[in-house]
Amino acid sequence: MSAIDHYINEILTHGLEEAREDGSAAIEAHHVLMGIAARQDTVARAVLVAAGLDRASIRAALDREFEHSLSTVGVSAAAFGLPRPSPDPDRKVSMGASARLALERGFAHAARKRDLRPVHLLLGLLEAEVGTVPRALGLAGADRSDLARRAREAAADEGW
């Protein structure tokens, strides 16, 4: 397995774990974002951390996004005292549409597969105009344009 396959596989494996923790039937873009944030030694994570987005703050932003989404249809999560999802380690989890699209956009930033880096995946996530990731990052006060600029600069340096 090449280094890139190892890194990408590790990020997606962590995304799978996040999906299972959420009780999801699919790995979605926000699970991949959490996978990037969990990987300690990548430039992609450094870009996030430099913007104040570590794993805990991303998780908090995703939780706020969930509550905000419920509130737009008149439901208050606090009023119902919803329990956290029950993790199911045996659940078969597939790749969701938002994750597939983010991966495709990320691959488009690399000239060849062997040039793909986690920062390219981050760019693929940041380019989404709609969905959980852009809403959560917005609620966290993150400037997606600035994050994307920093990620493009990091990708040009060819670091991991």
Side-chain angles (χ1 to χ4, degrees):
M1 178 182 289
S2 71
I4 188 55
D5 292 331
H6 172 75
Y7 277 96
I8 301 306
N9 185 51
E10 190 170 311
I11 288 168
L12 293 178
T13 298
H14 191 80
L16 170 68
E17 292 168 10
E18 292 288 339
R20 285 190 172 138
E21 275 295 309
D22 282 351
S24 294
I27 302 168
E28 295 295 350
H30 62 282
H31 299 125
V32 176
L33 180 61
M34 292 292 291
I36 290 171
R39 180 71 196 171
Q40 296 293 321
D41 59 348
T42 66
V43 171
R45 181 178 182 276
V47 167
L48 291 171
V49 169
L53 296 167
D54 63 6
R55 187 185 180 288
S57 64
I58 292 170
R59 175 80 272 168
L62 290 169
D63 290 345
R64 283 194 310 276
E65 188 280 330
F66 178 71
E67 291 172 10
H68 180 75
S69 292
L70 287 177
S71 72
T72 61
V73 293
V75 176
S76 168
F80 293 100
L82 298 173
R84 293 290 301 164
S86 299
D88 183 355
D90 298 323
R91 171 179 255 163
K92 180 165 175 32
V93 179
S94 61
M95 187 67 69
S98 64
R100 273 195 307 273
L101 288 171
L103 290 171
E104 287 174 14
R105 288 189 301 265
F107 273 93
H109 285 283
R112 300 171 302 229
K113 180 187 175 216
R114 71 180 186 175
D115 296 332
L116 183 73
R117 305 285 185 265
V119 72
H120 295 118
L121 295 183
L122 178 59
L123 278 167
L125 293 166
L126 294 172
E127 288 177 350
E129 293 297 322
V130 296
T132 302
V133 170
R135 286 191 306 267
L137 292 175
L139 289 169
D143 180 344
R144 283 190 13 248
S145 297
D146 185 55
L147 277 170
R149 179 189 57 77
R150 291 177 190 212
R152 279 190 297 278
E153 287 172 2
D157 291 339
E158 298 188 29
W160 285 98

